[in-house]
Amino acid sequence: MFNNHERRKFNQKSEHSIEKEWPFRLNFYDKSPWYEVTLEEFEKHALDRLRILAEIESSFARNRSWEELKTVTTRQFKDYLPLNSNSASTVDTQTERRNDHLGHFVLRLAFCRSEDLRRRFVKAETALFRVKYESDDARERELFLKSRDFQWNEVEPDERKQYSSELKALGKGSTVQQLEEWFEKEKFYKVRWTQVPDLVNKRRVLLIDGWAYVPSKEQLSIVLRAFEANLENALDRTARSIMRMDNDSRLTDVLNHMSRGFVAGVASEYSSGPATGDEITADMVDDLAKRHFPLCMRNLHECLMRDRHLKHFGRLQYGLFLKVLGLSIDEAVAFWRKSFSNLTDDKFNKEYKYNIRHSYGLEGKRANYPAKSCQQILLADKPGPSDCHGCPYRHFAPDNLQTSLLATYSSQGLTSADLAEVMRTVKEGHYHVACTRVFEITHAAAGVKKGEGIGEGESVTHPNQYAVKSIEIEKAQLGDAMVVE
């Protein structure tokens, strides 16, 4: 990742030239990082970028329109990867662009390891580049395009005149006059047809002797294809050299964690304490489970109520979820004691109470354990035949999943007609997208629309995130009802 020659060259540069290392928001990421970074920076900026890329892939899986995807991505840009234009004189644009540069290269290391990961990374990064391109300052975008060789030539006046009728056929206009006006203003670029196969397929260019005549309104296609090809080649080179880094466990653990980010996105961190603003009691859990819990926690709760017992990983997954939701240690002990009603007090105290206190950081090494995210539930501790933990969208057989969804959520508006869309995303491996769609359907009566997710288009990446948002929606409805009354 770090090139010694480039680092020495960078260190020799003047302070003035360093300020112009990243002259544009747009970047083809040709130069690998030549600067030293801390492990904290290494992980933070990559995770921030991964949050955006994972949501872009979720948008593809949810069949969002380009405008919807752009809206969601632009909003996340502000939160995780701010990139201002040069006109923002009060902002440190070089630091912003350095973070963007670093995050990209760390993820390149994480996603170069298999053909499938490389394909998904290129697709998401290309969409991210397009969002930046379309939102960029027009003048800076033009300067960026001039700074690179895209192997295009502007069509000369003689050629424009020679092929004028064919070129006008590429324009839009309902009258001859409108086409003439468009043709006079439009620029045309000549490139090899292999640079714009998508435009050739859609018949948006004029083909003559292996050359494609591209109107400027389709110029972005040339740029995106060049970005894709550049990144694909770079990933291949990185994959061939990655083995030199595999001996450094400090990096490989982080990279392996990130390469799983497309499975269930990157979850927000949920610390201990009442996530909803209110503590919950043992007596409230059953009612909350039926109205607000995601399918994984509903399944654990129902298994617990039915069997009066949960195995170790089930207790761990459900117990930490309830802890972070707002169940205090005293209420947790009361809840589990009531749930394990077929045990004697002595057996419960000896075999289970210690583990409950341990998960709250009151025994053992006294660590404050967080609740498990969707990614952890999907990838760790695969459930066996008699286990209840895990993710139903991944670990249930398709028929069992459909039956469970209808039995669990039919009272909240889910119908058999909704299952086709949910099961399609499950089949494609987008389990958190399926869970997000179920959230939208079951909260449609409260005003949640398709595509909104758990708010502002965000997908579910954590069971507590699902439950907290559901509770917040209900509170808002109750507040509105009280105002009306």
Side-chain angles (χ1 to χ4, degrees):
M1 179 177 177
F2 302 103
N3 184 296
N4 289 330
H5 173 71
E6 286 185 329
R7 185 186 293 123
R8 285 195 300 270
K9 184 178 178 182
F10 172 76
N11 289 336
Q12 293 169 359
K13 292 183 178 181
S14 66
E15 184 178 347
H16 177 72
S17 63
I18 291 174
E19 292 178 354
K20 296 185 179 180
E21 276 302 331
W22 295 279
F24 310 108
R25 287 177 73 241
L26 300 174
N27 196 338
F28 265 44
Y29 308 101
D30 299 309
K31 293 183 179 179
S32 58
W34 57 88
Y35 41 84
E36 294 184 358
V37 298
T38 65
L39 282 175
E40 182 181 359
E41 285 182 302
F42 185 91
E43 185 170 12
K44 178 186 183 304
H45 298 310
L47 284 174
D48 286 343
R49 190 182 195 87
L50 183 56
R51 284 186 171 91
I52 301 175
L53 296 184
E55 194 59 50
I56 287 174
E57 180 163 271
S58 295
S59 294
F60 290 138
R62 294 164 73 177
N63 292 322
R64 281 179 173 150
S65 68
W66 173 250
E67 290 303 318
E68 290 173 329
L69 183 152
K70 187 163 69 171
T71 300
V72 171
T73 305
T74 301
R75 188 182 300 120
Q76 290 193 316
F77 254 129
K78 295 178 181 177
D79 294 335
Y80 302 115
L81 190 63
L83 281 173
N84 286 278
S85 63
N86 293 331
S87 59
S89 57
T90 60
V91 177
D92 185 357
T93 57
Q94 288 302 295
T95 297
E96 290 181 342
R97 293 168 192 180
R98 176 185 181 276
N99 297 342
D100 167 69
H101 185 259
L102 175 61
H104 169 87
F105 273 93
V106 176
L107 293 187
R108 187 184 287 187
L109 292 173
F111 287 98
C112 71
R113 295 164 181 262
S114 73
E115 184 177 347
D116 178 61
L117 287 175
R118 290 195 292 271
R119 176 185 56 79
R120 295 165 75 175
F121 181 64
V122 169
K123 185 177 181 181
E125 277 283 348
T126 303
L128 182 62
F129 180 87
R130 182 182 172 187
V131 171
K132 290 193 290 184
Y133 183 94
E134 293 185 354
S135 62
D136 202 15
D137 177 84
R139 181 175 175 275
E140 288 183 31
R141 182 171 59 209
E142 190 65 27
L143 290 173
F144 169 77
L145 294 179
K146 290 179 178 178
S147 72
R148 301 190 62 87
D149 180 13
F150 289 99
Q151 297 182 335
W152 61 37
N153 296 305
E154 189 171 340
V155 177
E156 297 294 334
D158 290 344
E159 279 190 294
R160 284 176 63 96
K161 185 176 180 180
Q162 182 180 359
Y163 302 117
S164 60
S165 59
E166 292 90 343
L167 292 173
K168 287 176 185 177
L170 302 174
K172 292 182 179 180
S174 57
T175 66
V176 174
Q177 183 179 353
Q178 288 175 334
L179 281 175
E180 288 290 345
E181 291 175 354
W182 171 82
F183 182 69
E184 288 298 321
K185 296 177 181 178
E186 192 75 0
K187 290 182 179 180
F188 293 89
Y189 298 91
K190 189 166 70 171
V191 298
R192 285 295 179 185
W193 73 270
T194 51
Q195 291 180 242
V196 285
D198 57 326
L199 296 181
V200 174
N201 184 52
K202 297 174 184 177
R203 300 186 178 184
R204 293 183 179 176
V205 295
L206 172 64
L207 281 180
I208 299 176
D209 296 331
W211 291 95
Y213 290 73
V214 184
S216 60
K217 64 186 179 74
E218 304 290 356
Q219 188 181 40
L220 173 59
S221 182
I222 305 174
V223 179
L224 292 181
R225 181 63 192 131
F227 180 86
E228 283 183 348
N230 190 70
L231 183 53
E232 287 167 356
N233 292 333
L235 284 169
D236 287 339
R237 293 194 301 271
T238 306
R240 290 194 294 269
S241 60
I242 193 68
M243 293 180 64
R244 286 181 292 174
M245 293 188 60
D246 285 343
N247 295 327
D248 191 339
S249 60
R250 298 174 304 164
L251 300 183
T252 53
D253 290 346
V254 173
L255 296 175
N256 288 334
H257 171 71
M258 290 178 185
S259 67
R260 304 184 184 114
F262 279 152
V263 175
V266 180
S268 302
E269 294 298 325
Y270 284 82
S271 59
S272 62
T276 61
D278 299 310
E279 289 193 5
I280 61 176
T281 65
D283 293 335
M284 293 167 60
V285 173
D286 187 62
D287 185 52
L288 288 171
K290 292 173 181 176
R291 301 204 316 273
H292 302 297
F293 287 6
L295 188 59
C296 55
M297 299 305 165
R298 284 286 295 268
N299 180 58
L300 282 166
H301 183 78
E302 289 169 7
C303 287
L304 179 60
M305 295 299 101
R306 180 192 67 214
D307 302 332
R308 292 297 164 185
H309 187 263
L310 281 178
K311 290 187 176 181
H312 171 72
F313 288 118
R315 296 196 305 273
L316 185 64
Q317 182 176 322
Y318 194 39
L320 292 174
F321 167 81
L322 292 175
K323 165 195 166 184
V324 172
L325 198 64
L327 193 69
S328 68
I329 178 59
D330 293 334
E331 291 296 331
V333 171
F335 169 76
W336 289 104
R337 180 65 194 96
K338 181 180 179 181
S339 300
F340 288 3
S341 57
N342 53 356
L343 299 181
T344 63
D345 287 340
D346 185 58
K347 184 176 178 65
F348 176 82
N349 290 333
K350 285 183 178 179
E351 298 183 17
Y352 299 100
K353 189 174 181 178
Y354 175 88
N355 287 334
I356 298 170
R357 290 177 54 81
H358 187 276
S359 67
Y360 277 75
L362 300 176
E363 302 289 354
K365 63 179 183 179
R366 300 183 182 275
N368 184 17
Y369 296 98
K372 292 183 178 293
S373 67
C374 292
Q375 186 181 120
Q376 291 171 310
I377 292 170
L378 283 165
L379 299 174
D381 308 322
K382 183 179 179 180
S386 60
D387 288 322
C388 296
H389 68 279
C391 172
Y393 296 99
R394 180 171 191 175
H395 298 125
F396 279 18
D399 290 344
N400 290 343
L401 175 58
Q402 293 185 71
T403 300
S404 180
L405 283 168
L406 287 174
T408 304
Y409 294 116
S410 58
S411 62
Q412 293 175 264
L414 185 76
T415 67
S416 56
D418 299 314
L419 292 180
E421 181 182 3
V422 174
M423 296 307 295
R424 175 184 62 79
T425 54
V426 169
K427 185 178 180 180
E428 294 172 353
H430 301 292
Y431 309 109
H432 65 307
V433 174
C435 186
T436 303
R437 183 65 188 122
V438 169
F439 180 91
E440 292 170 345
I441 293 168
T442 55
H443 293 80
V448 176
K449 299 177 181 178
K450 184 176 181 179
E452 287 187 5
I454 56 168
E456 299 185 336
E458 189 176 352
S459 300
V460 173
T461 57
H462 200 293
N464 286 85
Q465 185 187 33
Y466 184 113
V468 168
K469 187 62 179 180
S470 180
I471 294 170
E472 287 177 354
I473 289 173
E474 183 180 76
K475 282 185 175 182
Q477 279 188 298
L478 292 174
D480 292 342
M482 291 178 66
V483 170
V484 172
E485 186 176 346

